[in-house]
Amino acid sequence: MTFAPSTRRTRRGGVPSLVVAPLAVALLVVASLVVGDGGSAMAVDGPGRPGGRVKPVQTDAAAARAGAPRPVGPVTRTGQTGCAATGTLDSVDAINRAIDQLHVSPELLGADVGASARLQDGRRLMVFGDTLRSSGAAGHGFVRNSMLVVSPGCLSAVLPAGRGAIVPDRPRPAGSTGAVVGYWPMSVTVTPRPGQDLVTVMVQRVRTTGGGTFDFENLGPSAALFTVRPGGTPQLLRLVDLGPDSPDVRRPVWGAASALADGWLYLYGTAGSTAPMTFGRSLRVARVRPDRVLTQSEWTYWDGKGWSRSAAAAAELVPAVRGTSQTLSVFAQDGRWYALSKRDDVLGHELTVWTAPTPWGPFDSGRPIGHLPSDLDAGVLRYMPLAHPDLLPEPGTLVVSYSRNSTDLATVIADPFSYRPRFLRVRLPVGEARSGSYAARPVRR
């Protein structure tokens, strides 16, 4: 994601910003799985095998008119670049050295976001937002998203046949000259299935709003589904927009964080505010069975007392005032649930956790666990901290990444390695917050 002064806003906390966007990582589907989407289904015919293919069944027209999810992108075959040797990634310092030094491929020089998920074969997927490519690469410049496979001692970029974004831009209607809609990743979950993984990548769709490089608006959430066989390359199965396009910053963007627990996929939605000097986002939660995520009519929403079919009834878990970033992490550790984010988004400075006994709360008022300030005078941006609970686990601590960027696009192009996430280790608080005077603990890399 890239930021710069703009007359239009992409609301990621109220800052006039250029955001280069999140890449969406994936849903892994079983060979016999049929995914419903309110009037349509998708039969999977061995996408991980040579000659395998995905057979989408057309969405029923009546269901589409009723607002059911609809397919918006082609299914493409993907491959991987050669291995970029990382050495042993056995510490946060080793991870940062690899990120700061490795030239993975001309197709991935710099990027933000870096949401990750672990596959059942032990590899890790990482998805990124706006990704800078070298001038010699196909589709050079920025693409909306990209993906890495992290194997022991090796990083490989995942590329579709056309070597563009791994989650392709929405095709323009024939004869249209309107703005292109692309996809920024927010969160990713992996559901293991026999012989392959089901990966759900929640993304937000964005549209250019002006002639400037960084004029965008958020139109709502979407879901990208991938399948990955053991040792295989992720394959995109489906890309579906959830709900109609709307630039209203007050409507929740579902999938800003996601978590699996007890057979449910919990999808957290963040919503902006039009109130003056409110830079944070409020937080709500929905849930659905993982293989029915495309069927929004099967979602239910926590209304403060129980699970409702009405999205409008969704209760506020965290208020927008001193609230979360647009994209965040929610996870469980040691029997407690945590929402981790940067309070007040890009303009804030506190790396914060809100804790709760269940995925639906009640969440406390939040406590700082570190400092993560941006320096607008120097043009340095630090934003979008994300949790990686299964990465190098140690009791009472957590590995967190955050995105780095510059307000000057020329600086990013001159030094793409400065536009890569950085990792650190933080200590998690124990118990509930009793007051706002909790002192931030130091972080260590």
Side-chain angles (χ1 to χ4, degrees):
M1 156 190 316
T2 303
F3 294 86
S6 169
T7 56
R8 297 295 295 265
R9 293 186 178 185
T10 296
R11 291 284 306 196
R12 252 195 169 156
V15 161
S17 61
L18 320 178
V19 193
V20 256
L23 167 263
V25 180
L27 252 108
L28 310 178
V29 180
V30 193
S32 60
L33 180 67
V34 175
V35 179
D37 70 350
S40 70
M42 178 185 63
V44 179
D45 182 20
R49 297 190 298 271
R53 62 194 183 282
V54 175
K55 300 175 181 177
V57 179
Q58 293 299 316
T59 303
D60 179 79
R65 287 195 297 272
R70 60 197 183 280
V72 297
V75 175
T76 58
R77 295 299 298 249
T78 59
Q80 291 180 213
T81 63
C83 171
T86 63
T88 303
L89 300 180
D90 56 358
S91 68
V92 172
D93 284 339
I95 294 173
N96 284 328
R97 282 195 298 272
I99 289 174
D100 288 344
Q101 298 170 12
L102 277 183
H103 189 290
V104 179
S105 78
E107 286 81 10
L108 206 164
L109 297 184
D112 66 354
V113 188
S116 74
R118 187 179 179 87
L119 302 173
Q120 61 181 315
D121 64 8
R123 297 178 301 159
R124 181 177 297 272
L125 293 183
M126 296 192 72
V127 289
F128 300 92
D130 280 1
T131 300
L132 180 61
R133 293 179 161 180
S134 72
S135 58
H140 65 84
F142 281 102
V143 293
R144 282 284 176 261
N145 51 70
S146 61
M147 180 186 290
L148 282 181
V149 173
V150 184
S151 303
C154 181
L155 296 180
S156 299
V158 181
L159 297 173
R163 304 182 78 82
I166 190 69
V167 178
D169 294 346
R170 178 192 290 174
R172 277 197 183 114
S176 171
T177 57
V180 172
V181 174
Y183 297 88
W184 292 346
M186 297 184 292
S187 62
V188 55
T189 53
V190 172
T191 304
R193 304 293 194 197
Q196 58 191 311
D197 287 306
L198 175 66
V199 178
T200 304
V201 181
M202 300 302 297
V203 299
Q204 56 183 311
R205 51 192 190 269
V206 290
R207 175 174 62 197
T208 302
T209 58
T213 306
F214 303 106
D215 291 337
F216 305 113
E217 61 185 0
N218 182 307
L219 300 177
S222 303
L225 314 180
F226 290 73
T227 183
V228 186
R229 293 184 179 276
T233 298
Q235 303 294 330
L236 177 63
L237 295 178
R238 197 73 174 275
L239 172 59
V240 171
D241 286 350
L242 301 171
D245 289 353
S246 171
D248 186 353
V249 300
R250 298 167 299 177
R251 56 96 178 87
V253 180
W254 300 104
S258 57
L260 284 165
D262 300 323
W264 292 100
L265 175 60
Y266 290 90
L267 298 168
Y268 294 84
T270 54
S273 171
T274 56
M277 302 303 293
T278 301
F279 305 113
R281 295 261 179 163
S282 61
L283 188 67
R284 294 163 176 79
V285 67
R287 75 178 186 181
V288 67
R289 297 299 182 184
D291 59 355
R292 303 301 293 172
V293 64
L294 302 185
T295 311
Q296 270 191 296
S297 62
E298 295 191 16
W299 294 23
T300 55
Y301 306 83
W302 181 252
D303 64 8
K305 296 181 179 179
W307 294 97
S308 168
R309 290 287 179 186
S310 171
E316 192 176 80
L317 306 180
V318 174
V321 175
R322 290 180 56 75
T324 73
S325 299
Q326 193 273 337
T327 300
L328 71 157
S329 293
V330 180
F331 61 96
Q333 186 161 307
D334 298 328
R336 191 147 190 87
W337 282 84
Y338 297 86
L340 179 142
S341 189
K342 184 178 180 181
R343 197 190 289 274
D344 284 334
D345 211 354
V346 178
L347 291 184
H349 65 273
E350 293 178 351
L351 177 60
T352 301
V353 291
W354 294 258
T355 66
T358 71
W360 53 89
F363 283 89
D364 62 26
S365 58
R367 282 165 286 182
I369 58 171
H371 297 284
L372 197 63
S374 295
D375 186 344
L376 298 183
D377 291 336
V380 175
L381 301 173
R382 301 180 181 92
Y383 57 100
M384 204 188 307
L386 297 174
H388 306 271
D390 59 355
L391 180 61
L392 303 177
E394 291 182 9
T397 73
L398 178 75
V399 173
V400 173
S401 66
Y402 64 90
S403 293
R404 301 178 293 172
N405 211 332
S406 172
T407 57
D408 180 14
L409 181 60
T411 298
V412 172
I413 293 174
D415 182 14
F417 283 41
S418 68
Y419 176 50
R420 291 182 175 186
R422 190 157 190 84
F423 288 75
L424 50 83
R425 186 179 293 277
V426 299
R427 287 191 289 272
L428 291 174
V430 178
E432 296 187 42
R434 293 186 174 88
S435 72
S437 61
Y438 179 86
R441 297 180 178 184
V443 300
R444 61 185 175 89
R445 294 179 180 177

